[in-house]
Short mmCIF file of all heavy atoms in Angstrom, two decimals:
data_model
loop_
_atom_site.label_atom_id
_atom_site.label_comp_id
_atom_site.label_asym_id
_atom_site.label_seq_id
_atom_site.Cartn_x
_atom_site.Cartn_y
_atom_site.Cartn_z
N MET A 1 -20.86 66.12 -175.16
CA MET A 1 -21.36 64.80 -174.72
C MET A 1 -20.19 63.90 -174.31
O MET A 1 -19.23 63.75 -175.06
CB MET A 1 -22.15 64.13 -175.85
CG MET A 1 -23.51 64.75 -176.10
SD MET A 1 -24.77 64.25 -174.90
CE MET A 1 -25.31 62.67 -175.60
N LYS A 2 -20.33 63.33 -173.14
CA LYS A 2 -19.30 62.39 -172.69
C LYS A 2 -19.48 61.04 -173.36
O LYS A 2 -20.61 60.56 -173.50
CB LYS A 2 -19.39 62.22 -171.17
CG LYS A 2 -18.29 62.97 -170.43
CD LYS A 2 -18.44 62.81 -168.93
CE LYS A 2 -17.66 61.63 -168.41
NZ LYS A 2 -17.73 61.54 -166.93
N LYS A 3 -18.37 60.48 -173.75
CA LYS A 3 -18.41 59.15 -174.34
C LYS A 3 -18.75 58.13 -173.26
O LYS A 3 -18.26 58.23 -172.14
CB LYS A 3 -17.03 58.82 -174.95
CG LYS A 3 -17.15 57.88 -176.15
CD LYS A 3 -15.77 57.54 -176.70
CE LYS A 3 -15.81 56.20 -177.39
NZ LYS A 3 -14.49 55.62 -177.54
N LYS A 4 -19.59 57.16 -173.61
CA LYS A 4 -19.96 56.13 -172.63
C LYS A 4 -18.78 55.25 -172.27
O LYS A 4 -18.01 54.84 -173.13
CB LYS A 4 -21.09 55.27 -173.22
CG LYS A 4 -22.46 55.87 -172.97
CD LYS A 4 -23.48 54.78 -172.72
CE LYS A 4 -24.75 55.36 -172.13
NZ LYS A 4 -25.71 54.32 -171.76
N GLN A 5 -18.68 54.99 -170.99
CA GLN A 5 -17.61 54.13 -170.51
C GLN A 5 -17.96 52.67 -170.70
O GLN A 5 -19.10 52.30 -170.84
CB GLN A 5 -17.40 54.38 -169.01
CG GLN A 5 -16.75 55.68 -168.68
CD GLN A 5 -16.34 55.69 -167.22
OE1 GLN A 5 -15.42 55.02 -166.81
NE2 GLN A 5 -17.07 56.45 -166.43
N LYS A 6 -16.91 51.86 -170.64
CA LYS A 6 -17.12 50.41 -170.68
C LYS A 6 -17.41 49.91 -169.28
O LYS A 6 -17.02 50.52 -168.29
CB LYS A 6 -15.84 49.75 -171.22
CG LYS A 6 -15.62 50.02 -172.71
CD LYS A 6 -15.94 48.78 -173.52
CE LYS A 6 -16.08 49.13 -174.98
NZ LYS A 6 -15.11 48.51 -175.82
N CYS A 7 -18.03 48.78 -169.20
CA CYS A 7 -18.29 48.08 -167.94
C CYS A 7 -16.96 47.77 -167.26
O CYS A 7 -16.00 47.34 -167.92
CB CYS A 7 -19.05 46.79 -168.23
SG CYS A 7 -19.29 45.72 -166.82
N ALA A 8 -16.88 47.99 -165.95
CA ALA A 8 -15.63 47.80 -165.22
C ALA A 8 -15.41 46.36 -164.75
O ALA A 8 -14.39 46.04 -164.18
CB ALA A 8 -15.57 48.74 -164.02
N TYR A 9 -16.39 45.52 -165.00
CA TYR A 9 -16.26 44.12 -164.57
C TYR A 9 -15.15 43.46 -165.37
O TYR A 9 -15.10 43.59 -166.60
CB TYR A 9 -17.58 43.40 -164.80
CG TYR A 9 -17.71 42.09 -164.07
CD1 TYR A 9 -18.27 42.05 -162.79
CD2 TYR A 9 -17.29 40.91 -164.65
CE1 TYR A 9 -18.40 40.86 -162.11
CE2 TYR A 9 -17.41 39.71 -163.98
CZ TYR A 9 -17.97 39.68 -162.71
OH TYR A 9 -18.10 38.49 -162.05
N PRO A 10 -14.22 42.76 -164.68
CA PRO A 10 -13.08 42.16 -165.39
C PRO A 10 -13.52 41.23 -166.53
O PRO A 10 -14.37 40.38 -166.32
CB PRO A 10 -12.36 41.37 -164.30
CG PRO A 10 -12.78 41.99 -163.02
CD PRO A 10 -14.19 42.50 -163.24
N GLY A 11 -12.96 41.45 -167.69
CA GLY A 11 -13.24 40.59 -168.83
C GLY A 11 -14.52 40.96 -169.58
O GLY A 11 -14.83 40.34 -170.58
N CYS A 12 -15.24 41.94 -169.09
CA CYS A 12 -16.48 42.34 -169.76
C CYS A 12 -16.22 43.51 -170.69
O CYS A 12 -15.50 44.44 -170.34
CB CYS A 12 -17.54 42.73 -168.73
SG CYS A 12 -19.12 43.17 -169.48
N ASP A 13 -16.80 43.44 -171.88
CA ASP A 13 -16.53 44.46 -172.90
C ASP A 13 -17.78 45.26 -173.24
O ASP A 13 -17.80 46.01 -174.21
CB ASP A 13 -15.98 43.76 -174.14
CG ASP A 13 -15.08 44.70 -174.94
OD1 ASP A 13 -14.40 45.55 -174.32
OD2 ASP A 13 -15.07 44.60 -176.18
N GLU A 14 -18.83 45.11 -172.44
CA GLU A 14 -20.08 45.81 -172.71
C GLU A 14 -19.99 47.29 -172.35
O GLU A 14 -19.16 47.70 -171.53
CB GLU A 14 -21.22 45.18 -171.90
CG GLU A 14 -21.50 43.73 -172.23
CD GLU A 14 -22.12 43.58 -173.61
OE1 GLU A 14 -22.94 44.43 -174.00
OE2 GLU A 14 -21.76 42.61 -174.31
N THR A 15 -20.87 48.08 -172.94
CA THR A 15 -20.95 49.51 -172.61
C THR A 15 -21.66 49.68 -171.28
O THR A 15 -22.57 48.94 -170.95
CB THR A 15 -21.71 50.25 -173.72
OG1 THR A 15 -21.11 49.96 -174.96
CG2 THR A 15 -21.68 51.76 -173.49
N GLN A 16 -21.22 50.67 -170.54
CA GLN A 16 -21.83 50.97 -169.24
C GLN A 16 -23.31 51.27 -169.39
O GLN A 16 -23.74 51.96 -170.29
CB GLN A 16 -21.10 52.19 -168.65
CG GLN A 16 -21.86 52.82 -167.51
CD GLN A 16 -21.30 54.18 -167.12
OE1 GLN A 16 -20.47 54.75 -167.81
NE2 GLN A 16 -21.76 54.69 -166.01
N ASN A 17 -24.08 50.75 -168.46
CA ASN A 17 -25.53 51.00 -168.47
C ASN A 17 -25.95 51.78 -167.23
O ASN A 17 -27.06 52.28 -167.14
CB ASN A 17 -26.27 49.68 -168.57
CG ASN A 17 -27.71 49.87 -168.98
OD1 ASN A 17 -28.59 49.96 -168.15
ND2 ASN A 17 -27.95 49.99 -170.28
N GLY A 18 -25.05 51.87 -166.27
CA GLY A 18 -25.33 52.58 -165.03
C GLY A 18 -24.13 52.41 -164.12
O GLY A 18 -23.10 51.88 -164.54
N THR A 19 -24.25 52.87 -162.88
CA THR A 19 -23.13 52.68 -161.96
C THR A 19 -23.62 52.02 -160.69
O THR A 19 -24.76 52.15 -160.27
CB THR A 19 -22.48 54.03 -161.57
OG1 THR A 19 -23.46 54.89 -161.01
CG2 THR A 19 -21.80 54.68 -162.75
N TRP A 20 -22.72 51.31 -160.07
CA TRP A 20 -22.96 50.67 -158.76
C TRP A 20 -21.79 51.04 -157.89
O TRP A 20 -20.66 50.72 -158.23
CB TRP A 20 -23.08 49.15 -158.92
CG TRP A 20 -23.69 48.51 -157.74
CD1 TRP A 20 -25.02 48.29 -157.51
CD2 TRP A 20 -23.00 48.01 -156.58
NE1 TRP A 20 -25.19 47.69 -156.29
CE2 TRP A 20 -23.97 47.51 -155.71
CE3 TRP A 20 -21.65 47.95 -156.23
CZ2 TRP A 20 -23.65 46.96 -154.48
CZ3 TRP A 20 -21.33 47.40 -155.01
CH2 TRP A 20 -22.32 46.91 -154.15
N ALA A 21 -22.05 51.79 -156.81
CA ALA A 21 -20.99 52.32 -155.96
C ALA A 21 -19.96 53.08 -156.78
O ALA A 21 -18.76 52.94 -156.59
CB ALA A 21 -20.33 51.20 -155.15
N LEU A 22 -20.47 53.88 -157.72
CA LEU A 22 -19.68 54.73 -158.61
C LEU A 22 -18.87 53.97 -159.65
O LEU A 22 -18.10 54.54 -160.40
CB LEU A 22 -18.73 55.66 -157.81
CG LEU A 22 -19.37 56.59 -156.81
CD1 LEU A 22 -18.31 57.45 -156.11
CD2 LEU A 22 -20.39 57.52 -157.47
N VAL A 23 -19.00 52.66 -159.69
CA VAL A 23 -18.29 51.85 -160.67
C VAL A 23 -19.20 51.61 -161.87
O VAL A 23 -20.33 51.15 -161.71
CB VAL A 23 -17.87 50.49 -160.06
CG1 VAL A 23 -17.17 49.61 -161.09
CG2 VAL A 23 -16.97 50.71 -158.86
N PRO A 24 -18.73 51.97 -163.08
CA PRO A 24 -19.56 51.76 -164.27
C PRO A 24 -19.75 50.29 -164.58
O PRO A 24 -18.79 49.53 -164.61
CB PRO A 24 -18.77 52.47 -165.38
CG PRO A 24 -17.38 52.52 -164.89
CD PRO A 24 -17.44 52.58 -163.39
N LEU A 25 -21.00 49.89 -164.79
CA LEU A 25 -21.29 48.49 -165.09
C LEU A 25 -22.32 48.40 -166.22
O LEU A 25 -23.14 49.30 -166.40
CB LEU A 25 -21.83 47.78 -163.85
CG LEU A 25 -20.87 47.53 -162.69
CD1 LEU A 25 -21.62 46.95 -161.51
CD2 LEU A 25 -19.73 46.60 -163.09
N CYS A 26 -22.28 47.31 -166.94
CA CYS A 26 -23.29 47.06 -167.97
C CYS A 26 -24.57 46.56 -167.31
O CYS A 26 -24.60 46.26 -166.11
CB CYS A 26 -22.77 46.04 -168.99
SG CYS A 26 -22.57 44.38 -168.32
N LYS A 27 -25.62 46.43 -168.10
CA LYS A 27 -26.93 46.03 -167.60
C LYS A 27 -26.88 44.68 -166.88
O LYS A 27 -27.42 44.53 -165.79
CB LYS A 27 -27.89 45.96 -168.79
CG LYS A 27 -29.33 46.09 -168.42
CD LYS A 27 -30.18 46.15 -169.68
CE LYS A 27 -31.65 46.10 -169.32
NZ LYS A 27 -32.48 46.05 -170.52
N ASN A 28 -26.23 43.71 -167.50
CA ASN A 28 -26.16 42.36 -166.92
C ASN A 28 -25.44 42.34 -165.58
O ASN A 28 -25.89 41.71 -164.63
CB ASN A 28 -25.44 41.40 -167.88
CG ASN A 28 -26.29 41.07 -169.07
OD1 ASN A 28 -27.51 41.29 -169.06
ND2 ASN A 28 -25.67 40.58 -170.12
N HIS A 29 -24.32 43.05 -165.52
CA HIS A 29 -23.55 43.03 -164.28
C HIS A 29 -24.21 43.84 -163.18
O HIS A 29 -24.09 43.53 -162.01
CB HIS A 29 -22.10 43.45 -164.55
CG HIS A 29 -21.30 42.34 -165.18
ND1 HIS A 29 -20.61 42.49 -166.35
CD2 HIS A 29 -21.16 41.06 -164.78
CE1 HIS A 29 -20.06 41.30 -166.65
NE2 HIS A 29 -20.37 40.43 -165.71
N LEU A 30 -24.93 44.89 -163.55
CA LEU A 30 -25.70 45.63 -162.55
C LEU A 30 -26.75 44.71 -161.92
O LEU A 30 -26.92 44.67 -160.70
CB LEU A 30 -26.42 46.83 -163.22
CG LEU A 30 -25.61 48.10 -163.43
CD1 LEU A 30 -26.42 49.08 -164.28
CD2 LEU A 30 -25.24 48.75 -162.11
N THR A 31 -27.42 43.96 -162.76
CA THR A 31 -28.44 43.02 -162.29
C THR A 31 -27.83 41.98 -161.37
O THR A 31 -28.36 41.67 -160.30
CB THR A 31 -29.11 42.33 -163.50
OG1 THR A 31 -29.58 43.34 -164.39
CG2 THR A 31 -30.28 41.47 -163.06
N GLU A 32 -26.70 41.42 -161.78
CA GLU A 32 -26.03 40.38 -160.98
C GLU A 32 -25.58 40.90 -159.63
O GLU A 32 -25.76 40.25 -158.61
CB GLU A 32 -24.83 39.82 -161.76
CG GLU A 32 -25.25 38.84 -162.82
CD GLU A 32 -24.07 38.22 -163.56
OE1 GLU A 32 -22.92 38.59 -163.25
OE2 GLU A 32 -24.30 37.40 -164.44
N ILE A 33 -24.97 42.08 -159.64
CA ILE A 33 -24.46 42.65 -158.39
C ILE A 33 -25.61 43.01 -157.45
O ILE A 33 -25.52 42.79 -156.25
CB ILE A 33 -23.61 43.91 -158.68
CG1 ILE A 33 -22.38 43.49 -159.50
CG2 ILE A 33 -23.25 44.66 -157.41
CD1 ILE A 33 -21.05 43.63 -158.83
N ARG A 34 -26.71 43.53 -158.01
CA ARG A 34 -27.86 43.87 -157.17
C ARG A 34 -28.46 42.61 -156.53
O ARG A 34 -28.80 42.61 -155.35
CB ARG A 34 -28.94 44.58 -158.00
CG ARG A 34 -28.61 46.03 -158.19
CD ARG A 34 -29.76 46.77 -158.87
NE ARG A 34 -29.31 48.10 -159.27
CZ ARG A 34 -29.51 48.62 -160.47
NH1 ARG A 34 -30.15 47.94 -161.39
NH2 ARG A 34 -29.08 49.81 -160.74
N ALA A 35 -28.56 41.55 -157.30
CA ALA A 35 -29.09 40.28 -156.79
C ALA A 35 -28.17 39.73 -155.70
O ALA A 35 -28.64 39.26 -154.66
CB ALA A 35 -29.22 39.28 -157.94
N GLU A 36 -26.88 39.82 -155.94
CA GLU A 36 -25.90 39.33 -154.98
C GLU A 36 -25.95 40.15 -153.69
O GLU A 36 -25.87 39.60 -152.59
CB GLU A 36 -24.52 39.41 -155.61
CG GLU A 36 -23.44 38.70 -154.82
CD GLU A 36 -22.10 38.84 -155.53
OE1 GLU A 36 -21.58 39.97 -155.60
OE2 GLU A 36 -21.59 37.84 -156.00
N THR A 37 -26.08 41.45 -153.81
CA THR A 37 -26.14 42.32 -152.65
C THR A 37 -27.39 42.03 -151.83
O THR A 37 -27.34 41.99 -150.60
CB THR A 37 -26.12 43.80 -153.09
OG1 THR A 37 -24.94 44.03 -153.84
CG2 THR A 37 -26.12 44.74 -151.90
N ALA A 38 -28.50 41.79 -152.51
CA ALA A 38 -29.75 41.45 -151.81
C ALA A 38 -29.57 40.16 -151.03
O ALA A 38 -30.02 40.04 -149.89
CB ALA A 38 -30.88 41.32 -152.83
N MET A 39 -28.89 39.18 -151.62
CA MET A 39 -28.61 37.92 -150.94
C MET A 39 -27.74 38.16 -149.71
O MET A 39 -27.94 37.56 -148.66
CB MET A 39 -27.86 36.96 -151.88
CG MET A 39 -28.78 36.15 -152.77
SD MET A 39 -27.84 35.24 -154.03
CE MET A 39 -26.99 34.04 -153.01
N HIS A 40 -26.79 39.05 -149.86
CA HIS A 40 -25.89 39.37 -148.76
C HIS A 40 -26.66 39.99 -147.60
O HIS A 40 -26.44 39.65 -146.44
CB HIS A 40 -24.79 40.31 -149.25
CG HIS A 40 -23.86 40.78 -148.17
ND1 HIS A 40 -23.06 39.93 -147.47
CD2 HIS A 40 -23.62 42.01 -147.68
CE1 HIS A 40 -22.36 40.63 -146.59
NE2 HIS A 40 -22.68 41.90 -146.69
N TYR A 41 -27.58 40.90 -147.90
CA TYR A 41 -28.34 41.55 -146.85
C TYR A 41 -29.32 40.60 -146.18
O TYR A 41 -29.67 40.76 -145.02
CB TYR A 41 -29.08 42.79 -147.40
CG TYR A 41 -28.13 43.94 -147.68
CD1 TYR A 41 -28.26 44.73 -148.82
CD2 TYR A 41 -27.09 44.23 -146.80
CE1 TYR A 41 -27.38 45.77 -149.07
CE2 TYR A 41 -26.21 45.27 -147.04
CZ TYR A 41 -26.36 46.04 -148.18
OH TYR A 41 -25.49 47.07 -148.43
N ARG A 42 -29.76 39.60 -146.92
CA ARG A 42 -30.63 38.57 -146.33
C ARG A 42 -29.79 37.54 -145.59
O ARG A 42 -30.33 36.55 -145.10
CB ARG A 42 -31.46 37.89 -147.43
CG ARG A 42 -32.59 38.75 -147.96
CD ARG A 42 -33.65 37.89 -148.63
NE ARG A 42 -33.08 37.03 -149.67
CZ ARG A 42 -32.98 37.37 -150.95
NH1 ARG A 42 -33.44 38.52 -151.37
NH2 ARG A 42 -32.44 36.55 -151.81
N LYS A 43 -28.49 37.73 -145.57
CA LYS A 43 -27.53 36.85 -144.92
C LYS A 43 -27.48 35.45 -145.54
O LYS A 43 -27.12 34.49 -144.88
CB LYS A 43 -27.80 36.76 -143.41
CG LYS A 43 -27.95 38.12 -142.72
CD LYS A 43 -27.19 38.17 -141.40
CE LYS A 43 -27.42 39.47 -140.64
NZ LYS A 43 -26.91 40.66 -141.32
N SER A 44 -27.84 35.39 -146.80
CA SER A 44 -27.72 34.12 -147.52
C SER A 44 -26.26 33.84 -147.85
O SER A 44 -25.84 32.69 -147.96
CB SER A 44 -28.51 34.15 -148.82
OG SER A 44 -29.86 34.50 -148.56
N ILE A 45 -25.50 34.91 -148.05
CA ILE A 45 -24.08 34.76 -148.35
C ILE A 45 -23.28 35.73 -147.49
O ILE A 45 -23.80 36.76 -147.07
CB ILE A 45 -23.76 35.01 -149.85
CG1 ILE A 45 -24.29 36.37 -150.32
CG2 ILE A 45 -24.28 33.87 -150.71
CD1 ILE A 45 -23.76 36.78 -151.68
N ARG A 46 -22.03 35.41 -147.23
CA ARG A 46 -21.17 36.28 -146.44
C ARG A 46 -20.41 37.23 -147.36
O ARG A 46 -20.41 37.07 -148.58
CB ARG A 46 -20.17 35.42 -145.65
CG ARG A 46 -20.86 34.25 -144.95
CD ARG A 46 -20.68 34.25 -143.45
NE ARG A 46 -19.34 34.57 -142.99
CZ ARG A 46 -18.51 33.69 -142.47
NH1 ARG A 46 -18.87 32.42 -142.39
NH2 ARG A 46 -17.35 34.06 -142.02
N TYR A 47 -19.73 38.20 -146.74
CA TYR A 47 -19.03 39.22 -147.51
C TYR A 47 -18.08 38.63 -148.54
O TYR A 47 -18.10 38.99 -149.72
CB TYR A 47 -18.25 40.14 -146.56
CG TYR A 47 -17.59 41.31 -147.26
CD1 TYR A 47 -18.25 42.52 -147.43
CD2 TYR A 47 -16.30 41.19 -147.78
CE1 TYR A 47 -17.65 43.58 -148.06
CE2 TYR A 47 -15.70 42.24 -148.44
CZ TYR A 47 -16.38 43.44 -148.58
OH TYR A 47 -15.78 44.49 -149.23
N HIS A 48 -17.25 37.69 -148.09
CA HIS A 48 -16.25 37.14 -149.00
C HIS A 48 -16.85 36.20 -150.05
O HIS A 48 -16.16 35.76 -150.96
CB HIS A 48 -15.15 36.40 -148.20
CG HIS A 48 -15.63 35.16 -147.53
ND1 HIS A 48 -16.18 35.17 -146.27
CD2 HIS A 48 -15.65 33.87 -147.95
CE1 HIS A 48 -16.51 33.92 -145.95
NE2 HIS A 48 -16.22 33.12 -146.94
N GLU A 49 -18.15 35.92 -149.93
CA GLU A 49 -18.81 35.09 -150.93
C GLU A 49 -19.46 35.93 -152.03
O GLU A 49 -20.08 35.39 -152.93
CB GLU A 49 -19.87 34.20 -150.25
CG GLU A 49 -19.25 33.14 -149.37
CD GLU A 49 -20.29 32.40 -148.52
OE1 GLU A 49 -21.29 33.00 -148.11
OE2 GLU A 49 -20.09 31.21 -148.30
N ARG A 50 -19.32 37.24 -151.91
CA ARG A 50 -19.89 38.13 -152.93
C ARG A 50 -18.95 38.20 -154.12
O ARG A 50 -18.25 39.17 -154.35
CB ARG A 50 -20.13 39.51 -152.33
CG ARG A 50 -21.12 39.46 -151.18
CD ARG A 50 -21.14 40.78 -150.46
NE ARG A 50 -21.77 41.82 -151.27
CZ ARG A 50 -21.86 43.09 -150.91
NH1 ARG A 50 -21.37 43.49 -149.76
NH2 ARG A 50 -22.44 43.96 -151.68
N GLU A 51 -19.00 37.14 -154.91
CA GLU A 51 -18.09 36.94 -156.03
C GLU A 51 -18.04 38.12 -156.98
O GLU A 51 -16.97 38.62 -157.33
CB GLU A 51 -18.56 35.68 -156.77
CG GLU A 51 -17.70 35.30 -157.94
CD GLU A 51 -18.38 34.23 -158.79
OE1 GLU A 51 -19.35 33.60 -158.29
OE2 GLU A 51 -17.98 34.06 -159.93
N HIS A 52 -19.19 38.61 -157.39
CA HIS A 52 -19.23 39.71 -158.37
C HIS A 52 -18.75 41.01 -157.74
O HIS A 52 -17.98 41.75 -158.34
CB HIS A 52 -20.65 39.90 -158.91
CG HIS A 52 -21.16 38.69 -159.59
ND1 HIS A 52 -20.50 38.09 -160.63
CD2 HIS A 52 -22.28 37.95 -159.39
CE1 HIS A 52 -21.18 37.04 -161.04
NE2 HIS A 52 -22.26 36.93 -160.29
N TYR A 53 -19.21 41.24 -156.51
CA TYR A 53 -18.81 42.45 -155.83
C TYR A 53 -17.29 42.53 -155.65
O TYR A 53 -16.67 43.56 -155.90
CB TYR A 53 -19.50 42.51 -154.46
CG TYR A 53 -19.04 43.68 -153.60
CD1 TYR A 53 -19.54 44.95 -153.82
CD2 TYR A 53 -18.08 43.49 -152.61
CE1 TYR A 53 -19.11 46.02 -153.05
CE2 TYR A 53 -17.64 44.56 -151.84
CZ TYR A 53 -18.15 45.82 -152.06
OH TYR A 53 -17.72 46.86 -151.31
N LEU A 54 -16.70 41.42 -155.22
CA LEU A 54 -15.27 41.42 -154.98
C LEU A 54 -14.46 41.65 -156.24
O LEU A 54 -13.36 42.19 -156.20
CB LEU A 54 -14.84 40.10 -154.30
CG LEU A 54 -15.33 39.95 -152.85
CD1 LEU A 54 -15.02 38.56 -152.32
CD2 LEU A 54 -14.73 41.00 -151.94
N LYS A 55 -15.02 41.27 -157.38
CA LYS A 55 -14.32 41.49 -158.66
C LYS A 55 -14.22 42.97 -158.99
O LYS A 55 -13.29 43.39 -159.67
CB LYS A 55 -15.04 40.74 -159.78
CG LYS A 55 -14.74 39.26 -159.77
CD LYS A 55 -14.81 38.67 -161.16
CE LYS A 55 -14.28 37.25 -161.16
NZ LYS A 55 -15.32 36.25 -161.34
N ILE A 56 -15.21 43.75 -158.54
CA ILE A 56 -15.15 45.19 -158.84
C ILE A 56 -14.76 46.01 -157.62
O ILE A 56 -14.60 47.21 -157.71
CB ILE A 56 -16.48 45.71 -159.43
CG1 ILE A 56 -17.63 45.52 -158.43
CG2 ILE A 56 -16.80 45.03 -160.75
CD1 ILE A 56 -18.72 46.56 -158.60
N ALA A 57 -14.61 45.35 -156.46
CA ALA A 57 -14.35 46.08 -155.21
C ALA A 57 -13.08 46.91 -155.25
O ALA A 57 -13.00 47.95 -154.61
CB ALA A 57 -14.30 45.11 -154.03
N VAL A 58 -12.09 46.47 -156.02
CA VAL A 58 -10.85 47.25 -156.13
C VAL A 58 -11.11 48.62 -156.74
O VAL A 58 -10.33 49.54 -156.58
CB VAL A 58 -9.77 46.52 -156.96
CG1 VAL A 58 -9.21 45.35 -156.17
CG2 VAL A 58 -10.29 46.06 -158.29
N ARG A 59 -12.25 48.76 -157.44
CA ARG A 59 -12.60 50.03 -158.06
C ARG A 59 -13.41 50.91 -157.11
O ARG A 59 -13.70 52.06 -157.44
CB ARG A 59 -13.43 49.78 -159.34
CG ARG A 59 -12.78 48.80 -160.31
CD ARG A 59 -11.64 49.48 -161.05
NE ARG A 59 -12.12 50.57 -161.86
CZ ARG A 59 -12.40 50.48 -163.15
NH1 ARG A 59 -12.25 49.36 -163.79
NH2 ARG A 59 -12.82 51.53 -163.83
N ILE A 60 -13.81 50.38 -155.96
CA ILE A 60 -14.61 51.14 -155.01
C ILE A 60 -13.70 51.63 -153.88
O ILE A 60 -13.18 50.82 -153.11
CB ILE A 60 -15.75 50.28 -154.42
CG1 ILE A 60 -16.59 49.67 -155.56
CG2 ILE A 60 -16.62 51.11 -153.47
CD1 ILE A 60 -17.60 48.63 -155.09
N PRO A 61 -13.47 52.94 -153.81
CA PRO A 61 -12.48 53.49 -152.86
C PRO A 61 -12.74 53.11 -151.40
O PRO A 61 -11.79 52.94 -150.64
CB PRO A 61 -12.62 55.00 -153.04
CG PRO A 61 -13.24 55.19 -154.38
CD PRO A 61 -14.10 53.98 -154.61
N TRP A 62 -14.00 52.98 -151.00
CA TRP A 62 -14.32 52.72 -149.60
C TRP A 62 -14.58 51.25 -149.31
O TRP A 62 -15.04 50.89 -148.23
CB TRP A 62 -15.52 53.56 -149.16
CG TRP A 62 -16.76 53.24 -149.94
CD1 TRP A 62 -17.67 52.25 -149.65
CD2 TRP A 62 -17.24 53.89 -151.11
NE1 TRP A 62 -18.67 52.26 -150.60
CE2 TRP A 62 -18.44 53.25 -151.48
CE3 TRP A 62 -16.76 54.97 -151.87
CZ2 TRP A 62 -19.16 53.64 -152.61
CZ3 TRP A 62 -17.50 55.35 -152.98
CH2 TRP A 62 -18.68 54.70 -153.34
N SER A 63 -14.32 50.38 -150.26
CA SER A 63 -14.57 48.96 -150.03
C SER A 63 -13.58 48.38 -149.04
O SER A 63 -12.48 48.88 -148.87
CB SER A 63 -14.48 48.17 -151.33
OG SER A 63 -13.13 47.99 -151.69
N GLN A 64 -13.99 47.32 -148.35
CA GLN A 64 -13.12 46.68 -147.35
C GLN A 64 -11.86 46.15 -147.98
O GLN A 64 -10.82 46.05 -147.32
CB GLN A 64 -13.88 45.56 -146.65
CG GLN A 64 -14.98 46.07 -145.75
CD GLN A 64 -15.65 44.96 -144.97
OE1 GLN A 64 -14.99 43.99 -144.57
NE2 GLN A 64 -16.94 45.06 -144.76
N VAL A 65 -11.92 45.79 -149.24
CA VAL A 65 -10.74 45.29 -149.94
C VAL A 65 -9.66 46.36 -149.95
O VAL A 65 -8.49 46.11 -149.67
CB VAL A 65 -11.10 44.89 -151.39
CG1 VAL A 65 -9.84 44.56 -152.19
CG2 VAL A 65 -12.04 43.70 -151.39
N ASN A 66 -10.07 47.61 -150.23
CA ASN A 66 -9.10 48.69 -150.28
C ASN A 66 -8.75 49.24 -148.90
O ASN A 66 -7.78 49.97 -148.74
CB ASN A 66 -9.63 49.83 -151.15
CG ASN A 66 -9.51 49.47 -152.62
OD1 ASN A 66 -8.62 48.70 -153.00
ND2 ASN A 66 -10.38 50.00 -153.44
N MET A 67 -9.52 48.89 -147.90
CA MET A 67 -9.22 49.30 -146.52
C MET A 67 -8.20 48.35 -145.88
O MET A 67 -7.83 48.53 -144.74
CB MET A 67 -10.49 49.31 -145.67
CG MET A 67 -11.58 50.19 -146.20
SD MET A 67 -11.39 51.91 -145.72
CE MET A 67 -12.95 52.59 -146.27
N GLY A 68 -7.83 47.32 -146.60
CA GLY A 68 -6.83 46.40 -146.10
C GLY A 68 -7.37 45.32 -145.19
O GLY A 68 -6.63 44.65 -144.48
N VAL A 69 -8.70 45.14 -145.22
CA VAL A 69 -9.31 44.08 -144.39
C VAL A 69 -8.91 42.72 -144.97
O VAL A 69 -8.64 41.77 -144.25
CB VAL A 69 -10.84 44.23 -144.36
CG1 VAL A 69 -11.48 43.07 -143.61
CG2 VAL A 69 -11.23 45.55 -143.69
N TYR A 70 -8.87 42.67 -146.32
CA TYR A 70 -8.47 41.43 -146.98
C TYR A 70 -7.14 41.66 -147.70
O TYR A 70 -6.94 42.68 -148.33
CB TYR A 70 -9.52 41.00 -147.98
CG TYR A 70 -10.83 40.63 -147.33
CD1 TYR A 70 -11.83 41.56 -147.17
CD2 TYR A 70 -11.03 39.33 -146.85
CE1 TYR A 70 -13.03 41.22 -146.54
CE2 TYR A 70 -12.22 38.99 -146.23
CZ TYR A 70 -13.21 39.94 -146.08
OH TYR A 70 -14.38 39.61 -145.47
N ASP A 71 -6.27 40.70 -147.60
CA ASP A 71 -4.99 40.80 -148.29
C ASP A 71 -5.05 40.06 -149.62
O ASP A 71 -5.72 39.07 -149.70
CB ASP A 71 -3.87 40.22 -147.43
CG ASP A 71 -3.55 41.13 -146.27
OD1 ASP A 71 -3.64 42.36 -146.44
OD2 ASP A 71 -3.24 40.61 -145.20
ZN1 LIG B 101 -20.38 43.89 -167.66
#
């Protein structure tokens, strides 16, 4: 049995409840990121306004942050 990972959100100490873009997140942060992503797709917020997403984007290999779009 694999030991459960911790949530990858900075400053969060909760146990992982699932993954979002392969990044382990706790239940609360999964909910927040999903809500934020839905807002983004409805064009309520722009890419750089995705506060929660950008906090974990460094952990997502294909994110624009790691592609060098943002310095
Ligand atoms: Zn968390």
Side-chain angles (χ1 to χ4, degrees):
M1 287 282 277
K2 256 178 91 175
K3 210 182 154 199
K4 274 216 166 185
Q5 288 191 71
K6 290 254 166 117
C7 174
Y9 196 91
C12 182
D13 208 33
E14 298 290 322
T15 307
Q16 165 192 11
N17 197 265
T19 57
W20 196 89
L22 302 180
V23 178
L25 291 174
C26 68
K27 203 174 173 184
N28 288 343
H29 283 126
L30 278 171
T31 306
E32 282 183 358
I33 296 247
R34 279 187 191 132
E36 190 180 67
T37 302
M39 275 171 69
H40 176 63
Y41 287 139
R42 286 200 305 268
K43 310 224 185 295
S44 305
I45 54 168
R46 312 239 318 251
Y47 185 90
H48 68 272
E49 292 171 326
R50 298 170 70 184
E51 182 192 343
H52 300 305
Y53 174 80
L54 290 173
K55 283 209 170 109
I56 61 151
V58 288
R59 308 285 296 264
I60 306 171
W62 62 86
S63 77
Q64 291 185 35
V65 172
N66 284 332
M67 303 276 189
V69 175
Y70 294 93
D71 287 325

